[in-house]
Amino acid sequence: LVLSELRYTCSDIWFLRFNIDPAHNFLAVGNKVGQVYVYDLTSLKSREICKLTHSQCTSTVRQTAITHDSRTILAVTEDG
């Protein structure tokens, strides 16, 4: 049973973790080139809100976390 499908680029590797905020409004997931995608989960058609990037972050984002107030997103990359 597929409830929703979210597409994002550079994600063709076997292990990426995502995170959903405590209110179940947002989802954050990284890719293999250091980008973090944030999705709005409040509608039936989940949509990308933004793509977060940084010039010094170019390795795979393996884990993301969203704070309890949904104001901060943490991303953990392969190279620390």
Side-chain angles (χ1 to χ4, degrees):
L1 172 67
V2 176
L3 298 176
S4 183
E5 190 171 290
L6 305 173
R7 298 189 182 273
Y8 61 104
T9 61
C10 300
S11 60
D12 56 341
I13 55 178
W14 69 277
F15 172 64
L16 291 174
R17 289 190 175 162
F18 64 90
N19 189 255
I20 298 174
D21 75 306
H24 302 106
N25 293 325
F26 305 106
L27 178 142
V29 63
N31 65 12
K32 68 180 185 179
V33 294
Q35 300 167 332
V36 175
Y37 288 81
V38 181
Y39 293 92
D40 177 4
L41 301 178
T42 60
S43 67
L44 291 176
K45 278 192 158 185
S46 300
R47 62 181 176 85
E48 179 185 326
I49 296 174
C50 66
K51 177 172 59 174
L52 306 174
T53 62
H54 190 281
S55 60
Q56 294 179 346
C57 184
T58 58
S59 64
T60 302
V61 176
R62 291 289 184 180
Q63 176 79 43
T64 58
I66 304 173
T67 58
H68 287 285
D69 62 4
S70 301
R71 297 182 64 178
T72 305
I73 296 175
L74 175 72
V76 180
T77 61
E78 276 189 351
D79 62 358

